[in-house]
Amino acid sequence: MIGKEVLNQLTAYKQGMQIQEVKRKYQIDKIVKLASNENPYGFSKQVSTFFSSMEQEFEIYPDGYAYDLRVSLAEKLKVNESQLVFGGGSDEVITLICRAFLHEGTNTIMAAPTFSQYRHHALIEGAKLKEVPTVNGKHDLPKMAQAIDEQTKVVWLCTPDNPTGEMIVKEQFEAFMQQCPRDVIVVVDEAYYEFVAKENQFDLNRNLAQYDNLIVLRTFSKIYGLAGLRVGYGIANETIAEKLNIVRGPFNVSSIAQRAAVIALDDEQFVQTTKKLNDQVKQAFQQFLDEINWKYYETHTNFILVETPIDADEASLYLLKHGFIVRPGTLLGYPDTMRITIGKEEDMLQLQTIIKKMQDEIR
Ligand SMILES: *Cc1c(COP(=O)(O)O)cnc(C)c1O
C-alpha cells in the first residue's frame, strides 16, 4: 500500500460537468453552467482592460508576500497586513489550516453536510471528525458547542452554508463563541459574504477584536468572478496568520491572480451590480418555485438548494440534456435536491420553461 491509509477511503474531488464535456456528449450548442456558484455576469471590466494590455513578467516568480493585494485588502478590511493569509482560492487556506492545526490524536467539529473540503483535508491530516447533523439545513450551534472536548482543535462554521445557502444568525454565533474555549480555532467560511444583506453580515473587525481564536475565510471566486484565477484569503490574529504563513508554499498565488484581485477589489460598482441583479433574479426564481410548489432552502447566496419532487439525479440529467448543468444534491449530502446557481435573468427564464416541461412529461 502506498500513501496514508486514509487515502483509500477518500476520492478525488468530483467536479461538476464541464461545459465542453456536455456539448460533446449531448450535442448541444448552448450550455448554461449553474453548478459551481460562479458569477454569471463575469468579472470587472477593469480586469479585462488589464488583461488586454498585460505586460507580465512570466519568467519571474510571483511576490509570495502579495504586497499590492495585501496592502489594498488590509486597507479595505481595516486590518493589519500581518493578519492576512493568501491562498490559491480559499480552498488552499482550508488545507493550510488543516495542515497547521490538525493531526492524529486531535479532532475537528463541523456540520454535516456542509462544504466538503473541511472533512476531506481534516481526514488526510489524521484528525477525527465530529460531525454534527444540520437541522433544516442550518448548523446546530448548541450541539456543536457541546461536542467540543480536550482534543478539539478546529471548529468549522460555514455561513452562508454551502450547499443550503442558510446563514448563522449573529446571536447564535455570539452564544457559540462564548462557550468555545479560546484555544480552539473557529473558522468562519464567508465565501458568499458579499451576497449577504448588510444587516446580516458579521462585523469582521469587532469579531477579530473580540475573539483571537477566529479565522475568517473569503474569496475572489464568487462575487468577484475570478474563480479561474484561484485567489482567496484568510483573516485572523497575527499569531494564527503567522502559523498559516509558515505552512503556505512560498509562491502560492500567481502574479496574474494577484494583479486581477487588486483591480477587482477596486471596482465596488461591479460587486454592487452583481448583488442587485442576483437578488432580483433570485426573487423571481423563488416566486416561480412557489408557483409550481417546489420547496427550497432559504438562501443568502447566489445559489439555491431546491427539493425535487422526482429523483434528483433524474431531474439533473433532464436539465443537462436541455443544456443546463446543475449540481445534484446526492453529491452534496442532500438527496432529492438540486443546487442551482442563480444565473442571468434570460437563462433562468429558460430554465423555468424546461422545469415546467419536465413536470408535464413526468406526470
Ligand atoms: C466556493 C467555496 C469555497 C472555495 O472557493 P475558492 O474558489 O477556493 O476560493 C470555499 N468555501 C465555500 C463554502 C465555497 O462555496
Side-chain angles (χ1 to χ4, degrees), residues 65-75 77-86 234-238 241-242 245:
Y65 185 72
Y67 180 82
D68 289 344
L69 178 55
R70 185 177 295 270
V71 169
S72 306
L73 202 52
E75 191 179 327
L77 300 175
K78 301 187 180 69
V79 299
N80 293 328
E81 290 163 24
S82 54
Q83 291 183 271
L84 297 169
V85 181
F86 293 97
I235 318 147
N237 80 48
E238 294 176 10
E242 197 183 333
N245 274 318

Side-chain angles (χ1 to χ4, degrees), residues 106-270:
T106 67
N107 72 54
T108 181
I109 298 172
M110 64 195 72
T114 186
F115 190 59
S116 62
Q117 295 303 295
Y118 319 139
R119 176 181 203 283
H120 190 81
H121 292 289
L123 286 172
I124 291 171
E125 297 304 334
K128 285 229 156 45
L129 302 182
K130 288 192 157 190
E131 297 184 280
V132 179
T134 53
V135 178
N136 300 322
K138 291 187 172 74
H139 283 35
D140 187 343
L141 288 174
K143 286 248 168 66
M144 292 178 83
Q146 276 168 30
I148 297 172
D149 64 27
E150 292 287 305
Q151 280 70 48
T152 305
K153 296 295 172 202
V154 180
V155 181
W156 305 86
L157 305 179
C158 189
T159 183
D161 190 27
N162 183 357
T164 64
E166 298 268 2
M167 64 174 193
I168 296 172
V169 297
K170 287 180 204 167
E171 294 73 23
Q172 282 178 346
F173 174 71
E174 286 305 316
F176 174 84
M177 293 305 285
Q178 297 303 330
Q179 282 176 272
C180 183
R182 287 302 180 87
D183 59 352
V184 175
I185 287 175
V186 178
V187 180
V188 177
D189 186 345
E190 295 188 330
Y192 301 93
Y193 170 80
E194 298 85 355
F195 285 106
V196 175
K198 268 240 152 356
E199 64 271 21
N200 292 326
Q201 286 175 336
F202 284 8
D203 184 337
L204 176 75
N205 302 104
R206 178 197 169 277
N207 289 343
L208 287 171
Q210 193 106 342
Y211 308 114
D212 56 11
N213 54 339
L214 188 67
I215 305 177
V216 175
L217 300 182
R218 303 243 181 110
T219 181
F220 285 93
S221 297
K222 304 289 159 61
I223 212 163
Y224 290 99
L226 300 180
L229 291 181
R230 311 308 299 129
V231 50
Y233 56 98
I235 318 147
N237 80 48
E238 294 176 10
T239 317
I240 292 179
E242 197 183 333
K243 293 276 157 53
L244 294 175
N245 274 318
I246 294 171
V247 173
R248 182 178 63 77
F251 308 112
N252 64 331
V253 180
S254 77
S255 29
I256 294 189
Q258 292 185 31
R259 278 302 300 150
V262 170
I263 297 166
L265 201 59
D266 197 43
D267 193 350
E268 190 52 37
Q269 189 58 49
F270 176 77

